Amino acid sequence: MRPDSQSDHAELRPAGERGYADHGWLKSFHSFSFADYHDPRHMGYGPLRVINEDRVAPGQGFGTHGHSDLELVSYVLEGALAHQDSMGNGSTIVPGDVQRMSAGTGVRHSEFNHDQAKTVHFLQIWIEPAAAGIAPSYEQKHFDAAAKRGRLRLIASPDGAQGSVTVHQDARVYAALLDGAERAGHALAPRRMGYVHVARGSLQVNGRALGAGDALKVPAGAALSLAGGSDAEVLLFDLAAERAR
């Protein structure tokens, strides 16, 4: 796929400029303003409100707490994260799993790393729903490495397309694993914008080098070429442009 000239105007969000919090048991990088970290330049991107890169220490976790009117997506990179919620769901999220919890009118949940030796490394993603006050719901699906190898695999969408989890927003999320000569491409529609987040490794997006934790805010209508990966795992958010900030 030939890159679109609009992609030249993509805004880099360097990993080293993210917010950071060290709570001892939790070390967290914030791509957007979150908790005590506030930056008016980075309040979110369209309906995408939070990407926190969290590392939870062995035998530690998030105690029971509440959310409402959010689509919460968890993407585990390493380790196993135990989940329990007030809807009666109990599960363990491991690499390859995508968990979606629609908080809607209100949900309480906890997340815990029961392993006494290994750290859990995961992405905590919040997306604002298209409507407030929906009924809470939960979904978890597995996408193995082969499904993401050398291609952008749809993992979340508003209609559950291609076996993805369903989010209550006009947002589509793709995941890819890219290494060596592997390439992937994606064209944004004229009224859709993109956000590329490198979860780990490194790669080039339209020839622009990105490392772990780096991200690009991509303008509407751009075409994207992902190549030159070195053990790269990347998420691409395809978002309705009218929600841009």
Side-chain angles (χ1 to χ4, degrees):
M1 179 175 295
R2 183 174 298 172
D4 190 287
S5 60
Q6 292 189 54
S7 64
D8 295 339
H9 301 292
E11 178 187 346
L12 176 65
R13 176 59 163 141
E17 295 181 7
R18 293 177 295 173
Y20 179 67
D22 186 346
H23 301 285
W25 66 272
L26 170 68
K27 294 177 173 57
S28 181
F29 288 98
H30 309 319
S31 294
F32 304 112
S33 294
F34 183 87
D36 293 333
Y37 167 64
H38 180 80
D39 185 338
R41 299 171 302 164
H42 302 289
M43 298 300 295
Y45 193 61
L48 178 59
R49 182 61 188 83
V50 165
I51 300 179
N52 287 350
E53 181 183 359
D54 290 345
R55 288 176 171 84
V56 181
Q60 300 291 329
F62 301 88
T64 302
H65 59 285
H67 297 284
S68 61
D69 291 329
L70 283 172
E71 302 289 294
L72 298 104
V73 177
S74 295
Y75 188 95
V76 173
L77 297 165
E78 294 177 302
L81 189 66
H83 166 94
Q84 289 189 321
D85 63 48
S86 55
M87 292 179 285
N89 298 298
S91 66
T92 300
I93 315 163
V94 298
D97 287 348
V98 176
Q99 178 205 68
R100 184 271 304 165
M101 188 174 72
S102 298
T105 54
V107 167
R108 293 181 63 78
H109 76 136
S110 63
E111 296 163 303
F112 204 83
N113 176 13
H114 289 293
D115 195 296
Q116 297 301 307
K118 297 179 181 178
T119 295
V120 168
H121 181 197
F122 80 110
L123 298 179
Q124 178 183 169
I125 299 162
W126 295 4
I127 297 172
E128 297 173 352
I134 64 175
S137 61
Y138 179 90
E139 191 176 14
Q140 182 174 329
K141 293 190 175 182
H142 186 76
F143 302 88
D144 63 20
K148 297 175 284 188
R149 173 58 58 195
R151 62 187 289 255
L152 286 161
R153 174 63 163 96
L154 186 66
I155 60 172
S157 69
D159 55 2
Q162 301 174 31
S164 60
V165 300
T166 301
V167 291
H168 298 87
Q169 179 54 266
D170 187 4
R172 291 170 175 80
V173 186
Y174 300 83
L177 300 173
L178 297 169
D179 192 54
E182 295 170 337
R183 305 175 64 91
H186 185 79
L188 296 167
R191 293 188 59 81
R192 299 189 70 82
M193 61 191 189
Y195 191 86
V196 179
H197 178 87
V198 182
R200 58 181 162 193
S202 62
L203 79 162
Q204 294 185 359
V205 179
N206 293 354
R208 194 169 189 174
L210 300 178
D214 287 340
L216 278 181
K217 296 179 179 180
V218 184
L224 295 170
S225 175
L226 285 68
S230 177
D231 293 324
E233 186 159 7
V234 60
L235 296 183
L236 167 63
F237 298 82
D238 183 323
L239 309 162
E242 58 266 23
R243 294 294 301 269
R245 298 180 181 212

